[in-house]
């Protein structure tokens, strides 16, 4: 069965109300910066470390979307995409033939999911205001809430957007993705970094393959968590 997903809208939701910075467009919902682009099937350590070092926190938190990308890039259905990227020299040829089948006894697949937050709310522009090239261009020029405050009557604001995800739905979607991945034999480690809410950590613990695959860490403990995961992966490689 073929699944279709809505493309992310390109607009900026966050608005600080400042006169000088109210029309800020630096944190659009659709990723715009090099450091936040997906880097699929990369074997160059330097490239990966450089991208990790350039990462910056911004906007909201949708853990389930990151997890969806991780699971998708391990799924055999993406093999034609990978073959195309190898053919165009955008991915190293050593990845040819991947992702392997879930039944391949020589392959173990891993997901390491780390977050410092929880699934947050996420809104979208109503389709009537985002269904043409002119609409796309319009919202790429204006901060969404800044535009409403300056050009739309306050009693009409609610007509322009709707709630796409809340925390409960995000947690449910994340749980579904975790279950589906684990059912295919994917090993999932999760790391909760300085998350104060026990509910958030419980969501991560439930996603992990087992209780020992979940780490609740603070400060420099995060390095110990990644080291422990690396050791376990290396041990698994030695036994296969």
């Amino acid at each position: 069965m073929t699944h279709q997903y809505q493309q992310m809208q390109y607009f900026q939701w966050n608005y600080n109300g400042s006169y000088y910075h109210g029309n800020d467009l630096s944190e659009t919902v659709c990723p715009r910066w090099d450091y936040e682009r997906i880097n699929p099937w990369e074997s160059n350590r330097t490239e990966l470390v450089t991208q990790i070092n350039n990462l910056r926190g911004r906007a909201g938190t949708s853990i389930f979307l990151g997890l969806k990308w991780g699971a998708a890039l391990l799924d055999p259905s993406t093999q034609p995409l990978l073959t195309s990227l190898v053919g165009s020299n955008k991915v190293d040829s050593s990845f040819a033939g991947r992702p392997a089948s879930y039944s391949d006894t020589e392959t173990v697949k891993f997901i390491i999911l780390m977050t410092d937050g929880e699934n947050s709310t996420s809104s979208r522009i109503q389709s009537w205001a985002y269904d043409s090239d002119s609409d796309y261009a319009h919202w790429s020029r204006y901060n969404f809430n800044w535009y409403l405050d300056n050009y739309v009557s306050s009693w009409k604001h609610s007509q322009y957007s709707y709630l796409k995800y809340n925390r409960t739905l995000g947690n449910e979607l994340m749980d579904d993705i975790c279950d589906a991945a684990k059912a295919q034999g994917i090993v999932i480690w999760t790391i909760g970094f300085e998350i104060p809410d026990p509910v958030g950590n419980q969501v991560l613990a439930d996603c992990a393959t087992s209780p020992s695959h979940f780490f609740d860490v603070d400060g420099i403990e995060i390095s110990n968590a990644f080291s422990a995961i690396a050791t376990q992966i290396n041990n698994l490689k030695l036994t296969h």
Side-chain angles (χ1 to χ4, degrees), residues 125-129 144 148 154-162:
I125 299 173
Q126 292 282 6
S127 59
W128 67 266
F144 179 77
L148 295 188
S154 59
W155 62 274
K156 288 186 177 182
H157 286 194
S158 61
Q159 300 175 18
Y160 277 76
S161 65
Y162 67 98

Side-chain angles (χ1 to χ4, degrees), residues 200-216:
N201 271 326
Q202 187 59 53
V203 171
L204 292 172
D206 291 341
C207 178
T209 291
S210 75
S212 64
H213 286 75
F214 166 64
F215 296 84
D216 177 12

Side-chain angles (χ1 to χ4, degrees), residues 50-68:
T50 298
Q51 184 165 6
I52 291 171
N53 287 338
N54 287 333
L55 289 174
R56 287 175 290 183
R58 71 168 189 84
T61 303
S62 296
I63 308 169
F64 64 94
L65 291 178
L67 178 63
K68 178 65 178 179

Side-chain angles (χ1 to χ4, degrees), residues 40-42 72-100:
W41 302 299
E42 179 62 72
L73 292 175
L74 293 176
D75 192 273
S77 65
T78 60
Q79 190 175 117
L81 173 60
L82 177 52
T83 300
S84 175
L85 291 173
V86 170
S88 59
N89 295 317
K90 294 180 180 178
V91 171
D92 191 87
S93 60
S94 63
F95 287 93
R98 303 186 191 182

Side-chain angles (χ1 to χ4, degrees), residues 162-173:
Y162 67 98
L163 182 66
K164 177 71 172 180
Y165 302 109
N166 59 21
R167 179 169 299 174
T168 298
L169 178 57
N171 289 344
E172 291 174 354
L173 292 171

Side-chain angles (χ1 to χ4, degrees), residues 12-236:
Q12 169 126 358
W13 176 268
N14 292 355
Y15 171 43
N16 65 9
S18 166
Y19 176 79
Y20 293 103
H21 302 290
N23 199 29
D24 175 47
L25 292 169
S26 63
E27 295 190 2
T28 51
V29 172
C30 183
R32 64 178 297 181
W33 306 110
D34 288 345
Y35 68 82
E36 56 193 354
R37 292 176 182 170
I38 299 295
N39 192 345
W41 302 299
E42 179 62 72
S43 60
N44 187 308
R45 184 180 186 277
T46 300
E47 290 282 342
L48 289 171
V49 171
T50 298
Q51 184 165 6
I52 291 171
N53 287 338
N54 287 333
L55 289 174
R56 287 175 290 183
R58 71 168 189 84
T61 303
S62 296
I63 308 169
F64 64 94
L65 291 178
L67 178 63
K68 178 65 178 179
W69 271 105
L73 292 175
L74 293 176
D75 192 273
S77 65
T78 60
Q79 190 175 117
L81 173 60
L82 177 52
T83 300
S84 175
L85 291 173
V86 170
S88 59
N89 295 317
K90 294 180 180 178
V91 171
D92 191 87
S93 60
S94 63
F95 287 93
R98 303 186 191 182
S101 167
Y102 290 121
S103 60
D104 185 346
T105 57
E106 297 299 313
T107 299
V108 183
K109 304 189 181 194
F110 308 105
I111 290 177
I112 302 172
L113 176 67
M114 188 278 288
T115 181
D116 63 350
E118 301 166 301
N119 285 307
S120 55
T121 59
S122 179
S123 295
R124 295 291 184 273
I125 299 173
Q126 292 282 6
S127 59
W128 67 266
Y130 199 87
D131 61 0
S132 67
D133 289 343
S134 60
D135 285 339
Y136 307 152
H138 173 81
W139 296 117
S140 71
R141 291 194 301 267
Y142 293 103
N143 178 296
F144 179 77
N145 284 297
W146 181 89
Y147 181 85
L148 295 188
D149 281 354
N150 285 272
Y151 296 106
V152 178
S153 299
S154 59
W155 62 274
K156 288 186 177 182
H157 286 194
S158 61
Q159 300 175 18
Y160 277 76
S161 65
Y162 67 98
L163 182 66
K164 177 71 172 180
Y165 302 109
N166 59 21
R167 179 169 299 174
T168 298
L169 178 57
N171 289 344
E172 291 174 354
L173 292 171
M174 181 175 164
D175 187 59
D176 289 344
I177 298 168
C178 293
D179 288 346
K182 289 184 289 188
Q184 295 289 2
I186 296 176
V187 179
I188 303 178
W189 277 279
T190 59
I191 303 173
F193 181 63
E194 298 184 352
I195 298 178
D197 185 356
V199 175
N201 271 326
Q202 187 59 53
V203 171
L204 292 172
D206 291 341
C207 178
T209 291
S210 75
S212 64
H213 286 75
F214 166 64
F215 296 84
D216 177 12
V217 298
D218 297 293
I220 61 173
E221 292 174 345
I222 192 170
S223 296
N224 297 332
F226 278 108
S227 294
I229 293 171
T231 297
Q232 293 180 64
I233 290 176
N234 285 329
N235 288 340
L236 284 171

